[in-house]
Amino acid sequence: GKWHMGVNCKTRHDHCHHPLNHGFDYFYGMPFTLLNECTDDPELAKSLQETYWFYTQMIIVAVFTLVIGKLANLFPVKWKIIICLAICGLLHFISWFSSYGFTKYWNCILMRNHDITEQPMNLQKTTSNMLKEAITFIERNKHRPFLLFVSLLHVHTPLVTTEKFQGRSRHGLYGDNVEEMDWMVGRLLDVIDKEDLKNTTFIYFASDHGGFLEARRGNSQLGGWNGMYKGGKGMGGWEGGIRVPGIFRWPGMLPAGAVIDEPTSLMDIYPTVVQLAGGAVPQDRVMDGHTLLPLLQGTEQHSRHEFLFHYCGVFLHAVRWHQRDSGTIWKAHYATPVFQPEASGACFKRGICPCFGDGVAHHDPPLLFNLSQDPSEANPLSADTEPLFDTVMRRIRRAVEEHRRMLTPVPQQLSPYNNIWKPWLQPCCGTFPFCWCHEEN
């Protein structure tokens, strides 16, 4: 499925960020993210593209008319004028197509291991392709231990949904997309059952973040809804961007129907998988995750996470403290995004909330919430309203200092230079910039 961790470092073929260089034995999916331009009906700049293409066609017709007229002696025109018009038309085409047209051909790609199988990818077939690859992987490895990580392109804008599921939900295109994702997960579970792997397979379903509130088309919400929780995707510390589903299945090993109300993290997947495989996590570094098995099997009643640190980019926005003696969960916000409009609960004017700068409000003292009583983070506490305010803030401050002492400085991967497009790193199945291929032909 979606990798979105990069591909190359220094050359087009070094594959330094590729999944096969980071512990995986097999890969099929998108190395990048799913862009609106990957569809045949992109939301962004569609009308501009149509306008540019119309003028490009007009220039092409004008050049052909002049060439034919010149060759047939229908009217006098200098070759210099025709050549100048052709060059201007070519420059006009390159200027807009490099901005809009090539995005789809360069970045909407599917890979199998190191080979590009589709460029651009056919989104109408991607759902069936992903399912087919996952199912054949299970069938190929059913007689030995395996780890299958499926990162679906659902539920993510531009909400690519096959015709079979369009109109299925009462919640618009987003609901249709969720319905199709649910069907895909069901198909994978059916294969696990059919291959008699049900009682020996640990399954974890989760999401990487909450709903993307700023993703809208008119009055339609394209990025999901976070219920009573404030905020959403890309907002640092607000609950709406952090709280996600965590659904487990392992018949005979985990009690069915149990609900565990304890703070855990997607960082826990790694040590959990290592324990399941009979291995040991590295001891030469601080591990941020903890195995979930004791909590899931009931041998431990509380999460091993006393503190969780919520970042936006490289900036610490919030800290969660799970006070073990009382069970209370506190959260302190050091910085929060400035919503636009103010009472909207999202950054609609910007399109996405920033992590720093004038789009962020800094709080001193931090905003403190008791999530056990106020999960919507509606009523910030103060020393006047909460007798434990100073005690809680001192403990959180000490935890932040300890956390920062454990951090090892690394090169800044989110720097502007590392985020600009570099043609020499662009994956291409043809001769760059002409990158077109399809596995079936």
Side-chain angles (χ1 to χ4, degrees):
K2 187 175 77 166
W3 176 242
H4 201 185
M5 298 289 283
V7 181
N8 302 313
C9 287
K10 294 180 179 177
T11 71
R12 187 168 291 133
H13 303 292
D14 64 29
H15 298 131
C16 72
H17 296 304
H18 193 281
L20 299 194
N21 276 358
H22 290 274
F24 290 92
D25 300 302
Y26 181 80
F27 170 67
Y28 179 83
M30 283 193 83
F32 308 132
T33 191
L34 186 59
L35 302 164
N36 289 314
E37 279 68 29
C38 292
T39 67
D40 292 325
D41 185 27
E43 301 164 39
L44 304 176
K46 187 186 176 202
S47 59
L48 267 178
Q49 290 185 55
E50 289 174 347
T51 303
Y52 290 146
W53 179 235
F54 172 76
Y55 286 121
T56 301
Q57 288 176 309
M58 294 299 292
I59 294 170
I60 292 170
V61 169
V63 169
F64 270 102
T65 303
L66 291 175
V67 169
I68 292 168
K70 174 74 172 175
L71 294 175
N73 292 319
L74 296 175
F75 42 79
V77 61
K78 293 182 178 178
W79 282 112
K80 194 181 291 185
I81 295 174
I82 297 174
I83 292 168
C84 284
L85 183 62
I87 291 172
C88 289
L90 182 64
L91 292 174
H92 169 76
F93 172 74
I94 290 172
S95 66
W96 74 263
F97 196 77
S98 62
S99 301
Y100 301 117
F102 280 131
T103 300
K104 179 175 181 176
Y105 291 93
W106 289 340
N107 294 331
C108 304
I109 64 178
L110 280 178
M111 297 183 77
R112 177 180 285 104
N113 295 326
H114 289 147
D115 299 322
I116 297 171
T117 61
E118 288 185 25
Q119 191 171 13
M121 60 197 285
N122 181 352
L123 284 173
Q124 293 308 308
K125 293 186 175 181
T126 303
T127 298
S128 58
N129 287 344
M130 294 281 185
L131 261 179
K132 179 182 170 186
E133 288 286 335
I135 290 169
T136 55
F137 179 87
I138 294 170
E139 292 170 345
R140 236 179 13 247
N141 293 282
K142 62 186 177 183
H143 296 302
R144 60 179 180 174
F146 65 82
L147 168 70
L148 172 61
F149 170 46
V150 183
S151 180
L152 299 170
L153 302 186
H154 302 58
V155 177
H156 189 292
T157 53
L159 298 176
V160 177
T161 309
T162 58
E163 196 173 332
K164 175 182 168 186
F165 284 89
Q166 290 173 15
R168 178 77 67 94
S169 162
R170 289 180 294 173
H171 297 279
L173 186 56
Y174 182 86
D176 295 345
N177 208 245
V178 173
E179 293 268 0
E180 185 164 39
M181 176 192 68
D182 182 54
W183 171 79
M184 293 174 75
V185 173
R187 284 288 312 277
L188 294 175
L189 294 180
D190 288 344
V191 174
I192 293 288
D193 295 351
K194 179 181 143 231
E195 298 295 345
D196 199 26
L197 299 171
K198 184 175 182 177
N199 294 330
T200 55
T201 304
F202 176 86
I203 296 169
Y204 182 13
F205 174 88
S207 176
D208 51 350
H209 51 67
F212 182 19
L213 300 182
E214 290 85 4
R216 286 188 168 185
R217 182 186 291 159
N219 293 324
S220 299
Q221 181 71 33
L222 297 179
W225 180 63
N226 299 318
M228 67 177 181
Y229 301 114
K230 183 181 285 186
K233 172 184 176 179
M235 293 193 193
W238 290 122
E239 288 293 279
I242 294 170
R243 288 194 181 231
V244 296
I247 305 172
F248 299 83
R249 189 184 86 155
W250 194 7
M253 299 298 288
L254 304 181
V259 177
I260 300 172
D261 188 14
E262 291 285 311
T264 62
S265 164
L266 293 183
M267 294 185 292
D268 298 332
I269 292 175
Y270 172 63
T272 304
V273 167
V274 168
Q275 184 180 355
L276 285 167
V281 296
Q283 300 299 307
D284 61 345
R285 70 203 73 180
V286 175
M287 300 303 299
D288 294 309
H290 302 286
T291 175
L292 293 169
L293 292 181
L295 194 62
L296 293 171
Q297 293 177 325
T299 57
E300 292 182 5
Q301 300 306 309
H302 296 292
S303 167
R304 295 183 183 181
H305 288 285
E306 185 178 7
F307 291 93
L308 284 168
F309 303 91
H310 302 300
Y311 280 80
C312 186
V314 296
F315 302 95
L316 181 64
H317 273 211
V319 179
R320 179 189 312 259
W321 178 27
H322 186 204
Q323 196 174 357
R324 287 175 179 160
D325 53 355
S326 68
T328 304
I329 299 177
W330 306 92
K331 191 160 73 168
H333 288 264
Y334 292 92
T336 55
V338 177
F339 294 145
Q340 299 172 320
E342 192 174 338
S344 65
C347 303
F348 289 116
K349 289 184 180 176
R350 289 178 180 263
I352 190 166
C353 290
C355 294
F356 63 95
D358 60 359
V360 170
H362 295 272
H363 306 288
D364 188 14
L367 297 180
L368 181 67
F369 297 93
N370 181 343
L371 294 183
S372 307
Q373 299 175 358
D374 181 22
S376 298
E377 299 174 286
N379 304 300
L381 304 171
S382 66
D384 297 329
T385 60
E386 175 52 66
L388 294 174
F389 183 87
D390 291 330
T391 304
V392 170
M393 287 313 308
R394 274 198 302 272
R395 182 66 188 95
I396 290 177
R397 192 160 48 244
R398 196 160 74 247
V400 171
E401 290 168 0
E402 292 169 6
H403 165 68
R404 285 186 165 143
R405 279 199 297 271
M406 293 185 216
L407 297 178
T408 303
V410 295
Q412 173 54 275
Q413 295 183 42
L414 300 176
S415 65
Y417 176 76
N418 283 327
N419 277 279
I420 61 171
W421 179 65
K422 302 179 183 72
W424 57 92
L425 300 183
Q426 177 66 51
C428 181
C429 63
T431 302
F432 184 81
F434 304 105
C435 308
W436 289 274
C437 63
H438 197 281
E439 190 172 40
E440 291 179 2
N441 48 54

